[in-house]
């Protein structure tokens, strides 16, 4: 029999783990695994705040696909369309014409994108915090603001440069804000005699009345107290109304200019799934059964699987609502990697003529880092604060990042930072690499 072709769309938390497991559990006579992603690496997103703060090298917060997925075929490109009725996906490679890839099974896992709102000025002045590029850009930008502030004589420029605004109080926003504040305080105390940490202004704008829902109300309230003690202005029940030309207007009537506006107010399923013929929920996610099979009403879509941030997967450990409707698994790495393994095992079962099994995982809680030696955790009912929570955060994520190679590199980064302290130099020119050469070439007189 011809090997079954399994196409994996996206090499993130779901895609990498699913492809790895399929390629290990099925022989090459049984299946061929093809994985498509525009990035040559999986990004371990929970390490983005630490990468931005300089505790981990950016290269170590990502997992190279070609190193980890040696038994899979890797296609560098973007899936632009899936016609499941014809079992064909269209892939746009980096260059050249689009490719058509036929498959027997597909795992759709392009994840999510920042959920933005039509707020005036947001598109032009905001930045997200979901990719390694955004994390490193933010690091360089924030550190560069210190140089701007230290060298200007204009108090307005200085105040604008030292005002940092984060919108959204989930773990991405809180960790990013807390790590950045910690890094800036460290940098100013050690290297900027012209500035003091009191010159900086950190503002968190959150529309709900609480932050960090992932760790529960008590730990969320504790986090607000900790951040406030550090001088961070936490504004709950407040929305960003506008940020045209970098002038932040909040719904509480306050208005101030800032060079740094970071949008971390949630995610929505990747828009790529709109270019598929798969059924979607109200939230725009692919509707799945607990077995991770795509479902249209009550009809299973044969050969189609989905998981992670782009999928609506009923949480069978949850309590049904008054209509008997189960809650859905939250978009988290915790679910994504476990769903990936279940989906891979179920595909193997189908190929071998066995029964599929439902995904079952009770969310165990969350850990969040609030800067060096500071954290908050609520895991298996145990609540931790400060150093123990921070240690748990590091240990947990070190154990979860794929491959021994990455684990060793991350531990080496942490150990080095312990002895040599973290690096706080901005490398902003990385974002405009051609500028110097372009200037040199422009000043060269033309041949006479
Ligand atoms: C800063 C931050 C911190 C976080 N911290 C935690 C945490 O502490 N704990 C936790 O549980 N969760 C955390 N999360 C959430 C977690 O990272 C996500 O829920 C998880 O990554 C979802 O996995 P996924 O595979 O669905 O998507 P991703 O891991 O985002 O992978 C999607 C992949 O699909 C690729 N892709 C996109 N479009 C296409 C296309 N058209 N064709 C091909 N490929 C495509 C992308 O390049 C990407 O590689 C955090 C997220 C962020 C941003």
């Amino acid at each position: 029999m011809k090997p079954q072709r399994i196409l994996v769309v996206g090499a993130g938390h779901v895609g990498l783990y699913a492809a790895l497991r399929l390629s290990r559990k099925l022989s090459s006579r049984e299946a061929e695994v093809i994985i498509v992603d525009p990035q040559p690496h999986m990004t371990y997103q929970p390490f983005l705040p630490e990468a931005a703060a300089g505790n981990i090298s950016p290269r170590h917060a990502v997992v190279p696909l070609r190193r980890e997925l040696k038994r899979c075929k890797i296609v560098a490109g973007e899936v632009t369309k899936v016609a499941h009725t014809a079992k064909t996906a269209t892939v746009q490679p980096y260059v050249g014409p689009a490719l058509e890839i036929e498959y027997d099974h597909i795992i759709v896992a392009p994840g999510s994108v920042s959920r933005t709102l039509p707020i005036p000025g947001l598109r032009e002045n905001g930045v997200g915090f979901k990719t390694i590029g955004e994390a490193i850009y933010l690091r360089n930008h924030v550190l560069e603001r210190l140089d701007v502030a230290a060298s200007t004589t204009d108090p307005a420029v200085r105040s604008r440069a030292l005002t940092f605004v984060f919108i959204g109080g989930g773990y991405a926003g809180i960790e990013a804000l807390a790590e950045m504040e910690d890094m800036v305080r460290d940098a100013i105390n050690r290297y900027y005699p012209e500035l003091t940490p009191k010159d900086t202004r950190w503002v968190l704008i959150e529309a709900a009345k609480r932050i960090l829902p992932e760790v529960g109300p008590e730990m969320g309230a504790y986090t607000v107290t900790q951040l406030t003690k550090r001088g961070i202005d936490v504004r709950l029940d407040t929305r960003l109304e506008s940020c045209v030309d970098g002038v932040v207007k909040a719904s509480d009537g306050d208005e101030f200019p800032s060079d740094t506006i970071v949008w971390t107010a949630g995610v929505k399923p990747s828009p790529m799934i709109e270019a598929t013929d798969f059924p979607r929920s109200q939230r725009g996610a692919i509707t799945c059964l607990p077995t991770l099979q795509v479902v249209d009403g009550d009809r299973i879509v044969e050969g189609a699987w989905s998981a992670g941030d782009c999928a609506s997967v009923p949480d069978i450990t949850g309590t049904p609502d008054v209509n008997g409707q189960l809650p859905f698994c939250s978009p988290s790495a915790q679910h994504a990697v476990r769903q990936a393994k279940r989906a891979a095992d179920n595909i193997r079962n189908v190929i071998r003529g066995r029964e599929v099994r439902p995904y079952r995982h009770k969310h165990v809680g969350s850990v969040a880092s609030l800067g060096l030696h500071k954290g908050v955790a609520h895991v298996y009912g145990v609540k931790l604060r400060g150093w123990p929570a921070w240690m748990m955060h590091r240990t947990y994520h070190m154990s979860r990042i794929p491959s021994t190679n990455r684990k060793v590199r991350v531990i080496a980064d942490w150990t080095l930072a312990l002895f040599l302290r973290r690096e706080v130099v901005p490398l902003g020119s990385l974002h405009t690499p051609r500028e110097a050469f372009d200037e040199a070439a422009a000043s060269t007189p033309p041949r006479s």
Side-chain angles (χ1 to χ4, degrees):
M1 200 177 84
K2 223 173 116 216
Q4 295 277 291
R5 180 178 279 177
I6 306 167
L7 179 67
V8 183
V9 179
H13 285 72
V14 170
L16 179 95
Y17 275 99
L20 202 57
R21 197 160 176 103
L22 285 164
S23 63
R24 283 182 183 156
K25 297 256 167 151
L26 289 167
S27 70
S28 54
R29 273 179 286 112
E30 288 174 296
E32 172 196 19
V33 182
I34 303 178
I35 186 160
V36 187
D37 200 298
Q39 309 283 342
H41 55 73
M42 174 257 199
T43 304
Y44 190 75
Q45 290 175 353
F47 273 155
L48 291 182
E50 287 225 47
N55 301 327
I56 295 177
S57 158
R59 290 190 313 284
H60 303 161
V62 301
V63 182
L65 302 182
R66 290 188 185 271
R67 178 195 272 271
E68 294 311 315
L69 297 175
K70 293 210 176 84
R71 295 173 63 187
C72 303
K73 180 170 180 202
I74 297 165
V75 178
E78 205 174 308
V79 172
T80 52
K81 188 178 165 196
V82 179
H84 189 68
T85 36
K87 290 210 168 163
T88 309
T90 309
V91 178
Q92 182 56 57
Y94 283 178
V95 288
L99 318 167
E100 297 278 298
I101 301 183
E102 290 180 1
Y103 59 82
D104 299 295
H105 289 269
I106 187 167
I107 302 181
V108 189
S112 55
V113 295
S114 296
R115 191 189 54 216
T116 53
L117 296 171
I119 293 173
L122 180 62
R123 185 171 177 192
E124 299 77 12
N125 300 296
V127 63
F129 196 78
K130 260 195 75 59
T131 66
I132 192 75
E134 286 170 334
I136 302 314
Y137 164 80
L138 185 65
R139 167 188 171 71
N140 289 325
H141 170 82
V142 165
L143 289 170
E144 250 175 24
R145 295 307 97 192
L146 303 189
D147 287 318
V148 169
S151 56
T152 183
T153 51
D154 183 338
V157 171
R158 184 181 167 111
S159 149
R160 183 181 172 120
L162 295 179
T163 300
F164 307 97
V165 184
F166 288 69
I167 301 111
Y171 43 43
I174 295 297
E175 286 194 328
L177 163 63
E179 291 282 0
M180 289 291 98
E181 192 273 341
D182 201 54
M183 175 189 76
V184 163
R185 177 185 299 273
D186 207 22
I188 290 180
N189 284 338
R190 282 195 287 144
Y191 303 122
Y192 289 87
E194 307 89 337
L195 307 174
T196 80
K198 285 209 166 80
D199 297 329
T200 62
R201 180 177 184 193
W202 298 84
V203 184
L204 172 72
I205 297 180
E206 164 57 55
K209 291 193 169 79
R210 46 100 193 97
I211 60 167
L212 278 186
E214 298 85 356
V215 294
E218 188 189 329
M219 293 291 101
Y222 161 81
T223 309
V224 172
T225 313
Q226 291 306 307
L227 296 181
T228 310
K229 273 191 195 158
R230 284 160 62 174
I232 297 168
D233 179 359
V234 180
R235 300 194 187 185
L236 303 181
D237 205 6
T238 307
R239 288 175 316 282
L240 175 70
E241 304 261 293
S242 149
C243 55
V244 175
D245 297 330
V247 177
V248 173
K249 289 188 186 166
S251 60
D252 58 7
D254 200 5
E255 195 175 314
F256 51 88
S258 169
D259 282 344
T260 312
I261 300 166
V262 188
W263 181 263
T264 53
V267 294
K268 62 180 181 191
S270 163
M272 176 255 142
I273 63 173
E274 283 161 29
T276 70
D277 50 2
F278 294 124
R280 295 187 283 282
S281 68
Q282 257 181 350
R283 185 174 80 83
I286 297 182
T287 48
C288 291
L289 290 175
T291 53
L292 304 162
Q293 288 162 298
V294 176
V295 66
D296 193 356
D298 48 15
R299 182 183 68 85
I300 292 175
V301 182
E302 296 295 336
W305 309 78
S306 186
D309 285 9
C310 74
S312 269
V313 180
D315 179 356
I316 61 173
T317 69
T319 315
D321 65 13
V322 283
N323 303 318
Q325 173 75 53
L326 282 167
F328 293 102
C329 297
S330 57
S332 71
Q334 200 179 123
H335 281 305
V337 295
R338 289 176 174 86
Q339 289 174 351
K341 289 179 184 165
R342 185 72 259 149
D345 287 354
N346 280 346
I347 293 177
R348 179 198 57 188
N349 288 355
V350 168
I351 290 175
R352 293 186 179 166
R354 296 190 198 143
E355 291 288 300
V356 291
R357 286 177 39 206
Y359 167 72
R360 175 187 290 275
H361 170 69
K362 189 149 183 62
H363 198 264
V364 297
S366 271
V367 285
S369 162
L370 301 177
L372 268 186
H373 310 144
K374 300 175 270 290
V376 59
H378 187 175
V379 180
Y380 291 114
V382 180
K383 294 167 190 160
L384 294 176
R385 304 168 160 90
W387 192 86
W390 174 78
M391 264 317 277
M392 180 187 257
H393 174 267
R394 283 206 158 177
T395 317
Y396 173 74
H397 285 301
M398 198 272 297
S399 72
R400 304 310 302 185
I401 191 167
S403 94
T404 310
N405 181 293
R406 292 297 115 171
K407 293 185 204 310
V408 172
R409 287 174 191 266
V410 167
I411 293 173
D413 284 343
W414 285 337
T415 314
L416 268 182
L418 203 64
F419 293 108
L420 303 180
R421 311 198 66 163
R422 67 175 138 200
E423 200 51 86
V424 286
V425 62
L427 292 177
S429 61
L430 283 179
H431 308 292
T432 49
R434 294 201 70 257
E435 209 168 73
F437 183 76
D438 193 47
E439 262 176 41
S443 62
T444 308
R447 271 197 193 141
S448 50

PDB file of all heavy atoms in Angstrom, residues 342-362:
ATOM      1  N   ARG A 342      -2.039  13.956  20.895  1.00  0.00           N
ATOM      2  CA  ARG A 342      -3.291  13.183  20.747  1.00  0.00           C
ATOM      3  C   ARG A 342      -3.669  13.092  19.265  1.00  0.00           C
ATOM      4  O   ARG A 342      -4.048  12.029  18.778  1.00  0.00           O
ATOM      5  CB  ARG A 342      -4.394  13.878  21.550  1.00  0.00           C
ATOM      6  CG  ARG A 342      -5.709  13.198  21.638  1.00  0.00           C
ATOM      7  CD  ARG A 342      -5.662  11.969  22.538  1.00  0.00           C
ATOM      8  NE  ARG A 342      -5.572  10.756  21.725  1.00  0.00           N
ATOM      9  CZ  ARG A 342      -4.961   9.638  22.071  1.00  0.00           C
ATOM     10  NH1 ARG A 342      -4.382   9.515  23.221  1.00  0.00           N
ATOM     11  NH2 ARG A 342      -4.918   8.609  21.279  1.00  0.00           N
ATOM     12  N   ALA A 343      -3.546  14.228  18.544  1.00  0.00           N
ATOM     13  CA  ALA A 343      -3.903  14.223  17.117  1.00  0.00           C
ATOM     14  C   ALA A 343      -2.996  13.251  16.361  1.00  0.00           C
ATOM     15  O   ALA A 343      -3.463  12.455  15.532  1.00  0.00           O
ATOM     16  CB  ALA A 343      -3.774  15.626  16.533  1.00  0.00           C
ATOM     17  N   ALA A 344      -1.706  13.281  16.664  1.00  0.00           N
ATOM     18  CA  ALA A 344      -0.756  12.389  15.966  1.00  0.00           C
ATOM     19  C   ALA A 344      -1.106  10.928  16.268  1.00  0.00           C
ATOM     20  O   ALA A 344      -1.144  10.088  15.355  1.00  0.00           O
ATOM     21  CB  ALA A 344       0.673  12.706  16.410  1.00  0.00           C
ATOM     22  N   ASP A 345      -1.396  10.625  17.523  1.00  0.00           N
ATOM     23  CA  ASP A 345      -1.718   9.237  17.877  1.00  0.00           C
ATOM     24  C   ASP A 345      -3.029   8.795  17.226  1.00  0.00           C
ATOM     25  O   ASP A 345      -3.172   7.648  16.795  1.00  0.00           O
ATOM     26  CB  ASP A 345      -1.798   9.085  19.403  1.00  0.00           C
ATOM     27  CG  ASP A 345      -0.409   9.143  20.032  1.00  0.00           C
ATOM     28  OD1 ASP A 345       0.587   9.181  19.275  1.00  0.00           O
ATOM     29  OD2 ASP A 345      -0.312   9.165  21.277  1.00  0.00           O
ATOM     30  N   ASN A 346      -3.987   9.723  17.136  1.00  0.00           N
ATOM     31  CA  ASN A 346      -5.257   9.363  16.497  1.00  0.00           C
ATOM     32  C   ASN A 346      -5.083   9.123  14.992  1.00  0.00           C
ATOM     33  O   ASN A 346      -5.711   8.224  14.434  1.00  0.00           O
ATOM     34  CB  ASN A 346      -6.312  10.438  16.763  1.00  0.00           C
ATOM     35  CG  ASN A 346      -6.921  10.288  18.150  1.00  0.00           C
ATOM     36  OD1 ASN A 346      -6.749   9.249  18.802  1.00  0.00           O
ATOM     37  ND2 ASN A 346      -7.615  11.305  18.613  1.00  0.00           N
ATOM     38  N   ILE A 347      -4.213   9.908  14.361  1.00  0.00           N
ATOM     39  CA  ILE A 347      -3.972   9.678  12.923  1.00  0.00           C
ATOM     40  C   ILE A 347      -3.330   8.295  12.752  1.00  0.00           C
ATOM     41  O   ILE A 347      -3.701   7.512  11.871  1.00  0.00           O
ATOM     42  CB  ILE A 347      -3.097  10.798  12.318  1.00  0.00           C
ATOM     43  CG1 ILE A 347      -3.870  12.114  12.314  1.00  0.00           C
ATOM     44  CG2 ILE A 347      -2.625  10.439  10.911  1.00  0.00           C
ATOM     45  CD1 ILE A 347      -3.101  13.324  11.805  1.00  0.00           C
ATOM     46  N   ARG A 348      -2.373   8.009  13.602  1.00  0.00           N
ATOM     47  CA  ARG A 348      -1.739   6.678  13.540  1.00  0.00           C
ATOM     48  C   ARG A 348      -2.806   5.589  13.728  1.00  0.00           C
ATOM     49  O   ARG A 348      -2.829   4.593  12.995  1.00  0.00           O
ATOM     50  CB  ARG A 348      -0.685   6.564  14.642  1.00  0.00           C
ATOM     51  CG  ARG A 348       0.017   5.220  14.686  1.00  0.00           C
ATOM     52  CD  ARG A 348       0.709   5.008  16.005  1.00  0.00           C
ATOM     53  NE  ARG A 348      -0.244   5.123  17.118  1.00  0.00           N
ATOM     54  CZ  ARG A 348       0.079   5.132  18.390  1.00  0.00           C
ATOM     55  NH1 ARG A 348       1.336   5.054  18.762  1.00  0.00           N
ATOM     56  NH2 ARG A 348      -0.840   5.225  19.324  1.00  0.00           N
ATOM     57  N   ASN A 349      -3.719   5.808  14.680  1.00  0.00           N
ATOM     58  CA  ASN A 349      -4.757   4.803  14.922  1.00  0.00           C
ATOM     59  C   ASN A 349      -5.633   4.617  13.684  1.00  0.00           C
ATOM     60  O   ASN A 349      -5.974   3.491  13.327  1.00  0.00           O
ATOM     61  CB  ASN A 349      -5.627   5.213  16.122  1.00  0.00           C
ATOM     62  CG  ASN A 349      -4.870   5.063  17.428  1.00  0.00           C
ATOM     63  OD1 ASN A 349      -3.737   4.577  17.432  1.00  0.00           O
ATOM     64  ND2 ASN A 349      -5.469   5.472  18.522  1.00  0.00           N
ATOM     65  N   VAL A 350      -6.012   5.720  13.037  1.00  0.00           N
ATOM     66  CA  VAL A 350      -6.864   5.618  11.839  1.00  0.00           C
ATOM     67  C   VAL A 350      -6.113   4.849  10.748  1.00  0.00           C
ATOM     68  O   VAL A 350      -6.659   3.946  10.116  1.00  0.00           O
ATOM     69  CB  VAL A 350      -7.275   7.026  11.337  1.00  0.00           C
ATOM     70  CG1 VAL A 350      -7.897   6.968   9.949  1.00  0.00           C
ATOM     71  CG2 VAL A 350      -8.243   7.677  12.317  1.00  0.00           C
ATOM     72  N   ILE A 351      -4.830   5.191  10.563  1.00  0.00           N
ATOM     73  CA  ILE A 351      -4.047   4.518   9.507  1.00  0.00           C
ATOM     74  C   ILE A 351      -3.935   3.019   9.809  1.00  0.00           C
ATOM     75  O   ILE A 351      -3.973   2.182   8.904  1.00  0.00           O
ATOM     76  CB  ILE A 351      -2.649   5.176   9.378  1.00  0.00           C
ATOM     77  CG1 ILE A 351      -2.810   6.581   8.771  1.00  0.00           C
ATOM     78  CG2 ILE A 351      -1.690   4.335   8.532  1.00  0.00           C
ATOM     79  CD1 ILE A 351      -1.530   7.395   8.703  1.00  0.00           C
ATOM     80  N   ARG A 352      -3.862   2.674  11.068  1.00  0.00           N
ATOM     81  CA  ARG A 352      -3.737   1.254  11.440  1.00  0.00           C
ATOM     82  C   ARG A 352      -5.091   0.587  11.720  1.00  0.00           C
ATOM     83  O   ARG A 352      -5.142  -0.528  12.228  1.00  0.00           O
ATOM     84  CB  ARG A 352      -2.831   1.122  12.666  1.00  0.00           C
ATOM     85  CG  ARG A 352      -1.405   1.502  12.324  1.00  0.00           C
ATOM     86  CD  ARG A 352      -0.469   1.253  13.470  1.00  0.00           C
ATOM     87  NE  ARG A 352       0.887   1.615  13.087  1.00  0.00           N
ATOM     88  CZ  ARG A 352       1.880   1.765  13.962  1.00  0.00           C
ATOM     89  NH1 ARG A 352       1.673   1.559  15.252  1.00  0.00           N
ATOM     90  NH2 ARG A 352       3.087   2.088  13.547  1.00  0.00           N
ATOM     91  N   GLY A 353      -6.190   1.312  11.427  1.00  0.00           N
ATOM     92  CA  GLY A 353      -7.527   0.722  11.579  1.00  0.00           C
ATOM     93  C   GLY A 353      -7.963   0.572  13.024  1.00  0.00           C
ATOM     94  O   GLY A 353      -8.748  -0.320  13.349  1.00  0.00           O
ATOM     95  N   ARG A 354      -7.443   1.449  13.878  1.00  0.00           N
ATOM     96  CA  ARG A 354      -7.838   1.376  15.297  1.00  0.00           C
ATOM     97  C   ARG A 354      -8.758   2.537  15.665  1.00  0.00           C
ATOM     98  O   ARG A 354      -8.952   3.455  14.876  1.00  0.00           O
ATOM     99  CB  ARG A 354      -6.598   1.419  16.186  1.00  0.00           C
ATOM    100  CG  ARG A 354      -5.698   0.236  15.992  1.00  0.00           C
ATOM    101  CD  ARG A 354      -4.633   0.248  17.081  1.00  0.00           C
ATOM    102  NE  ARG A 354      -3.525  -0.585  16.696  1.00  0.00           N
ATOM    103  CZ  ARG A 354      -2.249  -0.324  16.950  1.00  0.00           C
ATOM    104  NH1 ARG A 354      -1.925   0.780  17.574  1.00  0.00           N
ATOM    105  NH2 ARG A 354      -1.299  -1.152  16.583  1.00  0.00           N
ATOM    106  N   GLU A 355      -9.274   2.481  16.883  1.00  0.00           N
ATOM    107  CA  GLU A 355     -10.190   3.520  17.386  1.00  0.00           C
ATOM    108  C   GLU A 355      -9.439   4.821  17.700  1.00  0.00           C
ATOM    109  O   GLU A 355      -8.282   4.765  18.153  1.00  0.00           O
ATOM    110  CB  GLU A 355     -10.839   3.060  18.699  1.00  0.00           C
ATOM    111  CG  GLU A 355     -11.819   1.919  18.546  1.00  0.00           C
ATOM    112  CD  GLU A 355     -13.098   2.368  17.875  1.00  0.00           C
ATOM    113  OE1 GLU A 355     -13.769   3.256  18.419  1.00  0.00           O
ATOM    114  OE2 GLU A 355     -13.401   1.855  16.778  1.00  0.00           O
ATOM    115  N   VAL A 356     -10.128   5.949  17.526  1.00  0.00           N
ATOM    116  CA  VAL A 356      -9.526   7.220  17.957  1.00  0.00           C
ATOM    117  C   VAL A 356      -9.959   7.500  19.392  1.00  0.00           C
ATOM    118  O   VAL A 356     -10.997   6.999  19.836  1.00  0.00           O
ATOM    119  CB  VAL A 356      -9.942   8.398  17.042  1.00  0.00           C
ATOM    120  CG1 VAL A 356      -9.328   8.245  15.681  1.00  0.00           C
ATOM    121  CG2 VAL A 356     -11.450   8.540  16.964  1.00  0.00           C
ATOM    122  N   ARG A 357      -9.158   8.298  20.111  1.00  0.00           N
ATOM    123  CA  ARG A 357      -9.485   8.602  21.503  1.00  0.00           C
ATOM    124  C   ARG A 357      -9.600  10.113  21.715  1.00  0.00           C
ATOM    125  O   ARG A 357      -8.936  10.887  21.016  1.00  0.00           O
ATOM    126  CB  ARG A 357      -8.400   8.038  22.424  1.00  0.00           C
ATOM    127  CG  ARG A 357      -8.525   6.524  22.536  1.00  0.00           C
ATOM    128  CD  ARG A 357      -7.437   5.898  23.365  1.00  0.00           C
ATOM    129  NE  ARG A 357      -7.069   6.688  24.533  1.00  0.00           N
ATOM    130  CZ  ARG A 357      -5.875   6.632  25.108  1.00  0.00           C
ATOM    131  NH1 ARG A 357      -4.941   5.831  24.608  1.00  0.00           N
ATOM    132  NH2 ARG A 357      -5.605   7.352  26.163  1.00  0.00           N
ATOM    133  N   PRO A 358     -10.444  10.534  22.653  1.00  0.00           N
ATOM    134  CA  PRO A 358     -10.597  11.991  22.865  1.00  0.00           C
ATOM    135  C   PRO A 358      -9.412  12.587  23.612  1.00  0.00           C
ATOM    136  O   PRO A 358      -8.732  11.893  24.369  1.00  0.00           O
ATOM    137  CB  PRO A 358     -11.867  12.093  23.713  1.00  0.00           C
ATOM    138  CG  PRO A 358     -11.962  10.785  24.429  1.00  0.00           C
ATOM    139  CD  PRO A 358     -11.321   9.747  23.541  1.00  0.00           C
ATOM    140  N   TYR A 359      -9.212  13.882  23.390  1.00  0.00           N
ATOM    141  CA  TYR A 359      -8.179  14.628  24.111  1.00  0.00           C
ATOM    142  C   TYR A 359      -8.730  14.981  25.485  1.00  0.00           C
ATOM    143  O   TYR A 359      -9.816  15.542  25.601  1.00  0.00           O
ATOM    144  CB  TYR A 359      -7.839  15.901  23.330  1.00  0.00           C
ATOM    145  CG  TYR A 359      -7.017  16.880  24.130  1.00  0.00           C
ATOM    146  CD1 TYR A 359      -5.699  16.620  24.413  1.00  0.00           C
ATOM    147  CD2 TYR A 359      -7.577  18.063  24.621  1.00  0.00           C
ATOM    148  CE1 TYR A 359      -4.941  17.511  25.166  1.00  0.00           C
ATOM    149  CE2 TYR A 359      -6.836  18.954  25.365  1.00  0.00           C
ATOM    150  CZ  TYR A 359      -5.515  18.671  25.637  1.00  0.00           C
ATOM    151  OH  TYR A 359      -4.783  19.539  26.388  1.00  0.00           O
ATOM    152  N   ARG A 360      -7.971  14.660  26.492  1.00  0.00           N
ATOM    153  CA  ARG A 360      -8.418  14.945  27.859  1.00  0.00           C
ATOM    154  C   ARG A 360      -7.248  15.518  28.639  1.00  0.00           C
ATOM    155  O   ARG A 360      -6.229  14.847  28.820  1.00  0.00           O
ATOM    156  CB  ARG A 360      -8.874  13.647  28.519  1.00  0.00           C
ATOM    157  CG  ARG A 360      -9.257  13.791  30.006  1.00  0.00           C
ATOM    158  CD  ARG A 360      -9.517  12.422  30.594  1.00  0.00           C
ATOM    159  NE  ARG A 360     -10.746  11.866  30.052  1.00  0.00           N
ATOM    160  CZ  ARG A 360     -11.946  12.112  30.523  1.00  0.00           C
ATOM    161  NH1 ARG A 360     -12.086  12.872  31.586  1.00  0.00           N
ATOM    162  NH2 ARG A 360     -13.016  11.593  29.972  1.00  0.00           N
ATOM    163  N   HIS A 361      -7.368  16.777  29.038  1.00  0.00           N
ATOM    164  CA  HIS A 361      -6.329  17.354  29.897  1.00  0.00           C
ATOM    165  C   HIS A 361      -6.955  18.460  30.728  1.00  0.00           C
ATOM    166  O   HIS A 361      -7.498  19.414  30.185  1.00  0.00           O
ATOM    167  CB  HIS A 361      -5.169  17.924  29.072  1.00  0.00           C
ATOM    168  CG  HIS A 361      -4.217  18.740  29.907  1.00  0.00           C
ATOM    169  ND1 HIS A 361      -3.396  18.184  30.847  1.00  0.00           N
ATOM    170  CD2 HIS A 361      -4.006  20.079  29.962  1.00  0.00           C
ATOM    171  CE1 HIS A 361      -2.698  19.142  31.440  1.00  0.00           C
ATOM    172  NE2 HIS A 361      -3.041  20.303  30.928  1.00  0.00           N
ATOM    173  N   LYS A 362      -6.871  18.304  32.026  1.00  0.00           N
ATOM    174  CA  LYS A 362      -7.417  19.355  32.882  1.00  0.00           C
ATOM    175  C   LYS A 362      -6.342  20.423  33.040  1.00  0.00           C
ATOM    176  O   LYS A 362      -5.214  20.112  33.427  1.00  0.00           O
ATOM    177  CB  LYS A 362      -7.787  18.769  34.253  1.00  0.00           C
ATOM    178  CG  LYS A 362      -8.543  19.743  35.096  1.00  0.00           C
ATOM    179  CD  LYS A 362      -9.531  19.042  36.035  1.00  0.00           C
ATOM    180  CE  LYS A 362     -10.352  20.020  36.836  1.00  0.00           C
ATOM    181  NZ  LYS A 362     -11.194  20.912  36.061  1.00  0.00           N
TER     182      LYS A 362
END
